[in-house]
Amino acid sequence: MFALIDCNNFYASCERVFQPQLEKDPIVILSNNDGCVISRSNEAKKIGIPMGAPAFKYKNIFKKYNVKIFSSNFPLYGDMSDRVMKILDTYSPDFEIYSIDEAFIKFNGFKHFALKEKSLDMVKKVREWTGIPISVGVAPTKGLAKIANKIAKKYSIKTKGVYIIDNEEKRIKALKWTAIKDVWGIGRKHTEKLKKFGVFTAYDFVNISDFWIKKNMSILELRLKKDLEGLSCIKLDETIPSKKSISTTRSFKNILFSLNDLEERISSYTGNCAEKLRSQKSCCNSLLIFIASDPFKLKSKYCKNSTIINLPFTTDSSIILNKFALKALHEIYQKDIGYKKAGIILLNLKPNRSKQLNLFNNKINRDENLMDAIDKMNMKFNNKIKLATQDLNETWKMKQENLSKRYTTKLDEIITVQNKK
DNA sequence: TCTGGGGTCCTAGGGCGA
DNA sequence: TCTGTCGCCCTAGGACCC
C-alpha cells in the first residue's frame, strides 16, 4: 500500500505557524516579484481567489476581505519542509520526497487496521511537532493514493485527515467522485480532449480503451490508467536524483532595452546556476540563453529569442560559463526590443569527476580552486563575492513587499517571545 | 503600471549509418 | 553501385508536475 502525505496549503500554513493570530484569516502567498498567487489558505479559496491570479487584478478583493498577503519566503518553506519530511521518514524505510510539500511512503507488511492508526498518528505528530496540518491518502497504487488524499482533505472533519482506499467498492466510488481535471497527470489540454470524447471523471477514463489512450495521448497516460485500475505502474523513487538541467529565469520589474542591462542580468543568473551546478557536484557542456518581451503587451509583437551554445569542454566554472553566456546573449540580442524576461538553462549535466581535459588548453580547470574558495566565502559572508559583470549593487532586487522573517534559518530573524505583564 | 519559477518526460520528425 | 528499410540518435516542442 502507498500513502501520499500532502501538507495542507503549505506556504500559507508555514506563515501561520509563526503568526498564529492569522488562524482564521484568508492568506495568499505571491510569486517572485509579488506577481501572482501561488498558495492560498482555505478562507482565501472560499472568497474565490483562483490559483495563479495576478495580484494587481485582485487588489480590491484583497482589501475588501482583509486578505493577509505574503511575498514568497522560500528559505522558510524549505526549512519547514525538511522538518516535516524528517518526521515522515521515520514511518517506513520506503520513502520518497515528491515535492516541497508532498511525500510517498510505501507500507509493506502492515495490516489495514495498523495503517489507519499509523496515518492518524502521522497527522497528529506532524501537527504537534511542526505546526503544519497534513492529509494522508492510502491506496494500493500511487495514482489512487493521490485521489484518496484529495478525499481526506476535502472531508477533513469526517476523515480526520486520513482516507484509505482498501477495497473495490471504495476504489470505484472514489474514481466516480474524481473529476477528470483533478486526476494526477491529466492537465488542461488533456482534460479538453477527454471531455470532447465524453470523459468527465476518473471512472470514465479507466473505461476507455488502451488503444485509444495510446493513440491519442501517450504511454504516460496509459500507465496512469493501469495505476487507477489498481495495478501499480508508477513505482516509488527513493533516490535523490541529480538534476538533468539547472536554470535561473526571471521576469523584470521594468522593461529593459539596453544590452548592458541584459548582460548584467544574464551574468547574475549564470553565477547563480553555476553555484547550483557545483553544489550538486556536476558540470555541463551546453547552455541555453533566452530573452523575451512581455507576452501580455497586446500592442507590441511578442518576441522570444533563444540559442544553445555547445561548450568545447565540460565545466562548472562561473567564469567560463559567464563568458559563453554573454557570447550567446550577443548573438540573440536585438536593438529596439523591450525585454521583460531572461534566463539561462545549463544542459547536458555530468558528474564533475568526468570532467574532460583538453589537450590544447591546460588552463581550463585552473578555476577549480578559485571557485571552491569563492563558494566557501559566499557561504560564510552571504554571497558577497561576484564577477565584475554581475549586478554588484543589487539594483535589480525582486519586489517583495510583504516578506516574512526567516524564523528558522537566520539567527537575527528568530521569533521573539514577549512576556505579557 | 503591475500576470512566477524550476523542473521532468514523451513524441514527432529528420538525419544517418548499417 | 543503387535503393529500400530499419533502428538509433538528436532536437524542438508540448504536456505535465509542484
Side-chain angles (χ1 to χ4, degrees), chain A residues 264-303:
Chain A
E264 209 173 71
R265 297 286 69 218
I266 288 292
S267 199
S268 296
Y269 303 163
T270 307
N272 190 356
C273 273
E275 220 178 287
K276 290 188 220 168
L277 187 67
R278 291 192 292 274
S279 77
Q280 78 155 34
K281 297 199 182 334
S282 297
C283 51
C284 73
N285 66 11
S286 57
L287 57 87
L288 181 151
I289 297 287
F290 76 84
I291 44 178
S293 62
D294 189 346
F296 297 98
K297 277 269 177 298
L298 299 172
K299 284 178 192 165
S300 53
K301 202 181 141 202
Y302 178 55
C303 167

Side-chain angles (χ1 to χ4, degrees), chain A residues 144 147 171-183 186 190-191 193-213 217 221-222 224-226 228-229:
Chain A
L144 288 168
I147 292 181
R171 184 181 75 87
I172 301 291
K173 202 175 161 192
L175 291 179
K176 285 183 176 170
W177 176 83
T178 307
I180 190 67
K181 71 172 174 51
D182 294 330
V183 174
I186 303 292
H190 285 334
T191 297
K193 188 183 273 183
L194 286 165
K195 278 188 174 170
K196 278 183 193 157
F197 193 64
V199 174
F200 297 96
T201 65
Y203 184 72
D204 297 338
F205 179 67
V206 297
N207 279 313
I208 47 181
S209 75
D210 291 2
F211 177 76
W212 190 92
I213 293 181
M217 302 169 94
E221 286 71 28
L222 187 58
L224 174 67
K225 183 194 162 188
K226 298 287 163 202
L228 294 178
E229 284 171 347

Side-chain angles (χ1 to χ4, degrees), chain A residues 374-384 410:
Chain A
I374 288 177
D375 287 343
K376 280 180 182 152
M377 283 195 280
N378 275 339
M379 201 180 287
K380 199 166 177 185
F381 302 113
N382 207 10
N383 294 322
K384 292 289 183 211
K410 282 275 166 192

